[in-house]
Amino acid sequence: MSNTTYIPQSAMAIVAHPDDIEFGCVGTVARWVQAGAKVAYVLVTSGDVGIAEAGMTKAKATEIREVETLAAAKIVGVEDVTFLREPDGMVENTMTLRKQLVRQIRRFRPEVVIAMDPTIMYTPLGGINHPDHRAVGGATMDAIFPASGQPNLFQELEEEGFYAHKVRKVYVSSRGEGDTFVDISSTIDLKIQALQAHVSQVGAMEGLEQRIRDWSARIGVGKEMANAEAFRVLVMQTDEAWAKAQSNPTVH
Ligand SMILES: [Zn+2]
């Protein structure tokens, strides 16, 4: 178990829906941004079926939720936000989605990708994990390895100026279990504010703030952290390989 103080230079969070980042990892994002990291968000869907209101259309819901997402991102200082606009509730881990994610990874060239966990089928409270979460988690893993770092896969992206990039680490977002815990005591207030920017989702949720505080406090128990977020970290490149890649940037 590591209680990490590691700060990447750049990170890209890839999620299924507006508010997934805020529930899962925005306390960590806020810390990293404050420490100087560049962070980008990729949202595979815009949550177009997520507003249950009479007269609501998918187009209108998309608009509302993208505005909320940008507001939430701004609260923690993230401006690079990409919406892929796949259909909410129907995401599949296809080659087309993999290529879109490879394009984003090669464009932004993040040191760390924050990903959803494709292996979670059941939620801690005994429910079913959303199929979009599993599909996006799987597509993200498949985009990171080997596709993004393999120049001979999706070679046509070179025509758009996007060359192979090997991610250093993957932070797989977790509801509590994990091998790496980030202390978010200094950013828990920002996490709650960012979450509250998703008015269409959390506006009517009773006791949300307390639930988030309790949840992050539970993760911090035994780790000398008042509030924490949990991850499972995959090391895709050793420190030596990463340092070497940084000092010898490939010339295109
Ligand atoms: Zn979600």
Side-chain angles (χ1 to χ4, degrees):
M1 185 179 88
S2 72
N3 299 334
T4 185
T5 50
Y6 162 73
I7 308 281
Q9 288 196 338
S10 57
M12 171 174 271
I14 301 175
V15 296
H17 310 115
D19 80 18
D20 287 341
I21 288 173
E22 285 69 29
F23 274 109
C25 63
V26 81
T28 300
V29 166
R31 272 205 64 185
W32 288 355
V33 169
Q34 285 174 357
K38 281 195 314 172
V39 178
Y41 292 171
V42 175
L43 281 90
V44 173
T45 84
S46 292
D48 53 272
V49 301
I51 305 181
E53 251 175 46
M56 182 58 65
T57 63
K58 288 185 182 180
K60 211 161 131 189
T62 296
E63 206 181 305
I64 291 170
R65 299 202 67 186
E66 289 185 0
V67 168
E68 290 174 351
T69 300
L70 294 173
K74 204 169 173 198
I75 287 168
V76 295
V78 173
E79 283 170 6
D80 188 320
V81 181
T82 301
F83 300 103
L84 299 182
R85 297 189 181 132
E86 291 290 310
D88 183 10
M90 299 176 77
V91 179
E92 289 181 297
N93 179 2
T94 61
M95 212 49 75
T96 308
L97 178 56
R98 188 187 302 181
K99 182 175 175 178
Q100 293 202 73
L101 297 180
V102 168
R103 179 186 282 111
Q104 292 303 318
I105 292 168
R106 290 187 183 173
R107 169 184 72 82
F108 192 70
R109 311 183 79 72
E111 180 172 333
V112 166
V113 170
I114 303 174
M116 306 195 90
D117 188 337
T119 69
I120 297 177
M121 180 61 84
Y122 312 115
T123 66
L125 295 177
I128 297 173
N129 187 22
H130 197 295
D132 290 354
H133 296 169
R134 286 180 268 134
V136 169
T140 304
M141 299 302 157
D142 299 346
I144 292 168
F145 182 83
S148 172
Q150 167 54 263
N152 296 326
L153 284 174
F154 301 115
Q155 201 171 3
E156 65 276 20
L157 290 173
E158 289 186 7
E159 288 161 26
E160 299 174 33
F162 303 141
Y163 295 88
H165 171 70
K166 286 189 174 135
V167 169
R168 184 180 188 181
K169 295 181 188 197
V170 184
Y171 270 55
V172 185
S173 193
S174 158
R175 287 299 178 104
E177 301 296 310
D179 51 30
T180 300
F181 301 89
V182 177
D183 189 337
I184 62 159
S185 313
S186 63
T187 55
I188 181 73
D189 292 343
L190 282 176
K191 180 179 171 107
I192 286 158
Q193 272 181 45
L195 205 44
Q196 285 168 341
H198 294 279
V199 177
S200 69
Q201 304 303 301
V202 305
M205 270 189 205
E206 288 280 322
L208 174 76
E209 174 169 355
Q210 199 52 48
R211 270 203 293 139
I212 296 297
R213 287 188 189 279
D214 291 348
W215 176 17
S216 65
R218 259 197 317 276
I219 296 174
V221 168
K223 302 168 190 86
E224 294 177 10
M225 298 178 187
N227 303 92
E229 285 171 344
F231 301 90
R232 177 171 175 191
V233 175
L234 313 175
V235 179
M236 306 304 297
Q237 292 216 76
T238 61
D239 293 351
E240 294 74 35
W242 178 257
K244 202 170 157 199
Q246 299 314 292
S247 62
N248 297 312
T250 315
V251 178
H252 298 294

